[in-house]
Each structure stands twice: as C-alpha cells, then as structure tokens.
Amino acid sequence: MEVDRLRRAYEEVLAEVDAGGFGPPPAGQLSAEQIVAHLAANDELMTEATEAVIAGSPFAYYDLETIHRPQVDALVAECGGLDGLATLLRATSQKLCALAERLGPAAQTPVDTHLREGFDLVVDDTLPWGRTLDLHTRVHLPKHLAQLRMLRAH
C-alpha cells in the first residue's frame, strides 16, 4: 500500500479546492461542493472498511454515487460551503491515510468490493483491500481532480 502516493493524491485535490474559483457544473454533473462532499463521504466508507480489515472483521465496500447522493447533498448543506467541506475532507483523508499506514499484511485481506466510476472503472468483485485503496489513489481521486479543474475552466 503506497500511503505516500495516497497522501499526495489528496494534497492535489485539496490544493485545487483551496484555489477555488469554480463555475457551475454542466447539466447532470456534480458541483465542486458535491465532489468534495462525495470524496468525504467515500472516505468515511473506506475508513469503516479499513477499520474492519485491521480488526479482522468481514466487510463489504460499496462506492456507488446513487447510494450516498442524499448523504452528499446533506453534507453540502451541513458544512455550509466549500471551506467547511475542505476542512471535512482534510480530516477524513488524514484518518484514512493513517489507517492505511497501519494495514501492513492485512492489505491483502479480500473485501467484497463494488465500485463504479462512470465507464472508466466498474468493479463488482472480491479484491485485496490494498488494491481497492490503490484504485482510489490512481483512478478515483484523479478523476475528481480533473472534474474540479474542468469546473474552473468554464
């Protein structure tokens, strides 16, 4: 598990969020606030799974936008804007990274994983938990970083 790479991926996303200046999203796309809320909500799900793996408990991980879209919208309202959401994402990402550092050999623990990132990534399989965290680092975070950059370009 490349925790340093995970930390850098979060740093890039948070630097983009801190830069601000986002425009409205294209129809059907997430706003900057919703993207950050989605990432924080997803961190909480990944944290639960990582804690379960460390404890040796069985766990299934679902990252389907439709499952936590109401949670995303509630988080946007609760945090009161991008600054509050950025603070939340800093906390959730730091907690996830700290837990990932503790995984060690448990990173090989198989976890029933359900991921859907548009057409780019669809996983409905049992994966070693470290592999799921790697997909989060290499696919999920960069995709949302690109979305944030696109929102600034408009």
Side-chain angles (χ1 to χ4, degrees):
M1 177 68 239
E2 296 181 48
V3 178
D4 288 341
R5 187 172 179 155
L6 179 61
R7 284 187 199 283
R8 284 192 307 274
Y10 276 114
E11 286 168 9
E12 281 188 80
V13 168
L14 286 161
E16 198 68 27
V17 171
D18 290 344
F22 301 107
Q29 299 292 315
L30 297 177
S31 69
E33 291 84 2
Q34 288 171 318
I35 291 168
V36 177
H38 160 78
L39 289 173
N42 186 65
D43 283 355
E44 290 174 355
L45 295 172
M46 295 191 95
T47 292
E48 288 175 20
T50 306
E51 288 171 337
V53 165
I54 290 170
S57 301
F59 199 88
Y61 167 68
Y62 294 86
D63 172 37
L64 301 173
E65 256 180 53
T66 53
I67 288 177
H68 66 265
R69 185 67 181 259
Q71 182 183 7
V72 164
D73 292 338
L75 271 177
V76 169
E78 181 182 319
C79 290
L82 208 48
D83 289 345
L85 289 161
T87 299
L88 177 62
L89 182 59
R90 274 188 177 77
T92 60
S93 64
Q94 287 171 2
K95 184 173 183 182
L96 179 60
C97 288
L99 286 168
E101 282 180 329
R102 293 179 39 208
L103 272 173
Q108 295 306 310
T109 302
V111 174
D112 191 20
T113 302
H114 306 275
L115 286 166
R116 181 171 306 278
E117 266 316 306
F119 298 107
D120 302 330
L121 175 67
V122 177
V123 176
D124 192 7
D125 203 354
T126 300
L127 296 178
W129 185 240
R131 175 74 179 123
T132 302
L133 288 171
D134 184 58
L135 288 170
H136 178 63
T137 303
R138 295 175 190 262
V139 179
H140 190 231
L141 289 170
K143 176 189 174 191
H144 290 301
L145 176 62
Q147 285 178 315
L148 288 167
R149 288 178 174 156
M150 184 194 71
L151 289 172
R152 184 172 298 110
H154 281 110

